[in-house]
Amino acid sequence: MKKVLTGLIMLASILAVTDVSLTFYFQKLAYSAVQDLGTKTVDTAAKPAPESRQAHFPILVFHHIRDYQPSDTKNDRTFIIPPADFEKQLKYLSDNDYSFITISQLADYLAGGNDLPPKPIAITFDDGDVNQYTNAFLILKKYNIIATFYIFVNPIGVSKNYLTWEEVKAMSDAGMEIGSHGWYHLFLDKLSDGQELAEIDQEIVKSQAIIEQQLGRPVVSFGYPFGTYNDDVVARIKAAGYNSARGIVNGKTHRSDSLFNLKAYFITADFDRFINLVK
Ligand SMILES: [Zn+2]
């Protein structure tokens, strides 16, 4: 295995100067090989078999971090948290010794990799709204908190309401995980046959490739747009090399066999509800 791994890393290094997309492919293979090595030759006596692993903690889902505007409807406001309220939530977690992990860290653990820190919690953001950079990122950095951002590619760098690639890169370089949330944010379970195959490929495979090209890092986490999927969608996500997919069904227990159906909670500005969810 070591020889294979060294070979892959060397090959990836050589390809790094020639072909970016192939390099990512080999980085992923090398990454898998490292995981493989870790589970088969290290710590096997001390850890339970991967299929028996589970973790119990909430994955939090945020959307807009900005002040309310008069035009925001009551429904809109369930997806908006004013920065001051967001900071209050993060300060609570920070003051109470939560350990912040990315979704790929959770996936790694459930697949038999590294242990999780004590009192873990995962913060995620959906959609790539620009205020996730202009407001949320500043507050995350202030408290030294890492999070996972699921972005959908189409509006990035195009719409003023969404992140630019420079902003996505800056967050990635600061330790934030960037996952794919598709290309056009479609109901993936509705795309299953005929000419729609090209569309589902764009949502799952091409979105991943573009983000990887922009960031220079593998993208291994997927967030289902609208939380919807079916068996075919899951198979395609696995085939593309993602190692987890997060839905929006409520729940705190994450198991090795639920990596492609990770449960999570939408977070609102309601602080009492927030406390009850994270306790
Ligand atoms: Zn979304």
Side-chain angles (χ1 to χ4, degrees), residues 31-44 46-54 104-117 243 256 259:
Y31 180 76
S32 305
V34 170
Q35 301 307 304
D36 205 25
L37 197 65
T39 54
K40 288 195 172 135
T41 61
V42 182
D43 290 333
T44 45
K47 294 182 180 180
E51 62 271 16
S52 70
R53 284 193 167 186
Q54 67 171 40
S104 62
Q105 278 178 271
L106 170 61
D108 177 43
Y109 168 73
L110 292 178
N114 293 325
D115 279 334
L116 294 177
N243 58 26
S256 305
L259 268 167

Side-chain angles (χ1 to χ4, degrees), residues 196-210:
E196 289 166 346
L197 285 178
E199 285 185 73
I200 199 165
D201 184 64
Q202 175 150 332
E203 295 299 315
I204 294 170
V205 180
K206 289 187 184 170
S207 68
Q208 178 191 42
I210 289 287

Side-chain angles (χ1 to χ4, degrees), residues 63 126-127 152 181 185 224-226:
H63 288 84
D126 281 10
D127 301 342
F152 69 103
H181 198 40
H185 202 289
Y224 296 116
F226 309 106

Side-chain angles (χ1 to χ4, degrees), residues 29-178:
L29 281 183
Y31 180 76
S32 305
V34 170
Q35 301 307 304
D36 205 25
L37 197 65
T39 54
K40 288 195 172 135
T41 61
V42 182
D43 290 333
T44 45
K47 294 182 180 180
E51 62 271 16
S52 70
R53 284 193 167 186
Q54 67 171 40
H56 191 75
F57 66 86
I59 295 173
L60 313 181
V61 183
F62 293 90
H63 288 84
H64 293 278
I65 307 299
R66 64 164 172 81
D67 288 320
Y68 300 128
Q69 297 163 359
S71 58
D72 294 329
T73 65
K74 187 164 180 253
N75 184 54
D76 289 341
R77 291 179 188 223
T78 62
F79 294 92
I80 300 166
I81 302 180
D85 294 282
F86 179 67
E87 178 160 3
K88 187 177 170 189
Q89 294 174 344
L90 294 198
K91 186 173 187 309
Y92 174 86
L93 297 177
S94 184
D95 288 348
N96 286 278
D97 301 321
Y98 285 83
S99 300
F100 301 91
I101 64 167
T102 61
I103 297 299
S104 62
Q105 278 178 271
L106 170 61
D108 177 43
Y109 168 73
L110 292 178
N114 293 325
D115 279 334
L116 294 177
K119 215 171 173 183
I121 196 162
I123 292 180
T124 68
F125 291 84
D126 281 10
D127 301 342
D129 302 301
V130 69
N131 53 62
Q132 293 173 4
Y133 178 84
T134 51
N135 294 328
F137 183 45
L138 287 179
I139 300 168
L140 289 165
K141 280 197 294 189
K142 179 176 174 181
Y143 291 89
N144 201 23
I145 290 172
I146 52 169
T148 302
F149 292 75
Y150 294 104
I151 62 171
F152 69 103
V153 167
N154 187 54
I156 301 296
V158 176
S159 165
K160 66 176 173 50
N161 295 325
Y162 291 85
L163 300 165
T164 65
W165 283 115
E166 290 73 21
E167 290 164 344
V168 176
K169 181 81 162 54
M171 296 202 296
S172 173
D173 289 347
M176 306 296 163
E177 178 177 5
I178 310 297

